[in-house]
Amino acid sequence: MSAAPRQSSFVVEVTQRCQHDCLHCYNVWKNEAPYPRGELGTAETLALLGRLLDQTGASLVTLSGGEPLLRPDLGEIVSFLADRGAAMNLVSNGGLINAKALDRIGRGRISIFELPLLGPEREVHDRLSGAEGAFDGVTAAITELKLAGERVVVVFVATRLNLGRFGETLELAIALGADGLMLNRFNPGGRGREHLALLQPSPTELVLALDLAERVSRDHELPISCAIPMPPCLVDTSRYQRLGFGFCAAGTERAYYTMDPLGNLRPCNHSPTILGNLAERSFAELAGSACLRAFVAARPRFCAGCSQEALCLGGCKAAAEVCSGSAGEMDPFLSAHRGEARRPSVTS
């Protein structure tokens, strides 16, 4: 009998509810194709979390949504995971974080709070968040968290609407005491797919932001990472010594396997593909399924023979899947700018 697969971490969408309606939201239940809605009760949720920890040996759980703080039993979920020795990251829009909320979930139990900072002022941030008062809410939340001694990473989603204000946003993040920053290019999915033309930046715009991020990271010793894949044929990531870059990790120990509020497992939080339900099948069965193998193997023909193919795997398979119907099609960012792809990276 083969050993059970090991997994360093996984994502849990504890709820699909959210008080914001972000233009760039990638949540899969906002895709055009129907997705199961609802959430399990506390006991069932904790049972599945326990099974997933037992079956994978994962040491890190990222709690996401929707907005996790809209779930009344979030404190119980956090307590359960803490008792199991799991580290936790919490992804929130910040609108519900205050001293009372911190008491509810337990101070010092969350390793990192990931909060959006989409611009340096209300107009930009609130427009992208789809919620009046979102900017005031998240800046107050960051302040509350830092006063409480918590670690905060701010997330800047790079779109055509806010990239021109990236420098000012960086200054604000530093002034607020952010412990790190994520510079993530807009990755279409969910509601964001409806606003592709409005939001998707160009490679030139992204490079300018990356150049600035490199300087700021060096000058302020601020860790900055880019979790959404930057196709190296469009963006030469080797130029940046301070920035961290991520590529598709589907099927590996570093994968972002995601459990939704009903216990369905997906290859990552951006992909709508359901591998199966963890109440019915083990993680090992789902991670070894033909469905996942097909997702991992999918690659656009455009990338065949490229010297970087094994590294970038064609960009984001999930975005390709949502926008074109197949994980083997081109990442929408690459598709829009294929004429700018650096052909010298292709081998003969």
Side-chain angles (χ1 to χ4, degrees):
M1 180 181 294
S2 59
R6 305 294 293 178
Q7 194 64 36
S8 60
S9 66
F10 53 86
V11 178
V12 178
E13 295 163 340
V14 296
T15 186
Q16 296 166 339
R17 291 171 286 163
C18 189
Q19 82 277 31
H20 288 186
D21 193 20
C22 297
L23 291 179
H24 54 277
C25 180
Y26 62 79
N27 284 151
V28 297
W29 50 88
K30 293 189 176 183
N31 286 333
E32 184 177 356
Y35 189 87
R37 301 300 298 266
E39 61 190 53
L40 300 175
T42 305
E44 294 169 291
T45 298
L46 298 184
L48 285 182
L49 286 173
R51 280 169 53 90
L52 201 48
L53 288 171
D54 290 340
Q55 293 174 7
T56 65
S59 58
L60 173 64
V61 178
T62 295
L63 300 171
S64 181
E67 172 49 53
L69 285 160
L70 283 172
R71 182 148 178 158
D73 61 355
L74 181 63
E76 295 175 68
I77 293 172
V78 169
S79 292
F80 174 84
L81 292 171
D83 289 344
R84 289 294 306 264
M88 285 166 278
N89 293 344
L90 181 68
V91 181
S92 169
N93 57 45
L96 301 176
I97 291 179
N98 51 34
K100 185 177 179 180
L102 289 180
D103 290 338
R104 177 163 69 94
I105 62 178
R107 295 171 183 266
R109 285 182 161 174
I110 302 298
S111 299
I112 295 174
F113 288 84
E114 293 182 18
L115 305 181
L117 195 60
L118 306 173
E121 61 184 14
R122 295 183 182 94
E123 181 181 0
V124 178
H125 184 97
D126 288 6
R127 181 184 181 190
L128 283 165
S129 298
E132 185 177 352
F135 178 80
D136 291 345
V138 74
T139 51
I142 295 171
T143 301
E144 183 71 45
L145 289 167
K146 294 309 300 175
L147 287 173
E150 304 284 1
R151 291 180 56 80
V152 178
V153 169
V154 299
V155 182
F156 181 88
V157 180
T159 75
R160 292 180 62 196
L161 296 182
N162 64 350
L163 265 172
R165 309 296 299 277
F166 178 55
E168 297 165 85
T169 308
L170 270 173
E171 292 175 0
L172 177 59
I174 293 167
L176 288 169
D179 298 287
L181 182 132
M182 296 176 71
L183 170 56
N184 289 344
R185 70 172 175 89
F186 164 63
N187 200 36
R191 187 169 185 237
R193 181 176 178 271
E194 304 170 23
H195 305 287
L196 183 59
L198 175 67
L199 299 179
Q200 183 159 264
S202 69
T204 299
E205 290 171 313
L206 283 173
V207 166
L208 289 173
L210 291 168
D211 289 347
L212 176 57
E214 177 83 359
R215 293 195 299 273
V216 169
S217 177
R218 180 190 63 235
D219 295 345
H220 294 272
E221 292 295 323
L222 181 72
I224 299 180
S225 63
C226 306
I228 303 300
M230 300 271 190
C233 60
L234 293 176
V235 178
D236 182 6
T237 57
S238 67
R239 294 174 47 200
Y240 305 102
Q241 303 304 307
R242 299 277 314 186
L243 308 182
F245 293 93
F247 295 98
C248 180
T252 73
E253 187 177 321
R254 299 175 291 102
Y256 298 100
Y257 284 106
T258 298
M259 185 179 84
D260 75 11
L262 292 170
N264 297 308
L265 187 72
R266 308 198 308 273
C268 75
N269 51 340
H270 285 258
S271 171
T273 293
I274 294 176
L275 303 174
N277 193 282
L278 287 160
E280 301 165 357
R281 300 174 65 191
S282 71
F283 175 81
E285 289 180 275
L286 300 181
S289 66
C291 182
L292 182 68
R293 290 197 299 273
F295 184 86
V296 171
R299 206 85 42 94
R301 288 192 297 273
F302 178 85
C303 301
C306 174
S307 62
Q308 300 296 309
E309 182 183 2
L311 172 68
C312 100
L313 304 176
C316 181
K317 301 172 187 288
E321 181 182 24
V322 171
C323 292
S324 66
S326 169
E329 294 298 325
M330 294 175 71
D331 177 320
F333 178 58
L334 178 58
S335 178
H337 301 284
R338 72 182 79 183
E340 302 172 50
R342 294 178 294 114
R343 305 317 293 174
S345 65
V346 179
T347 60
S348 57

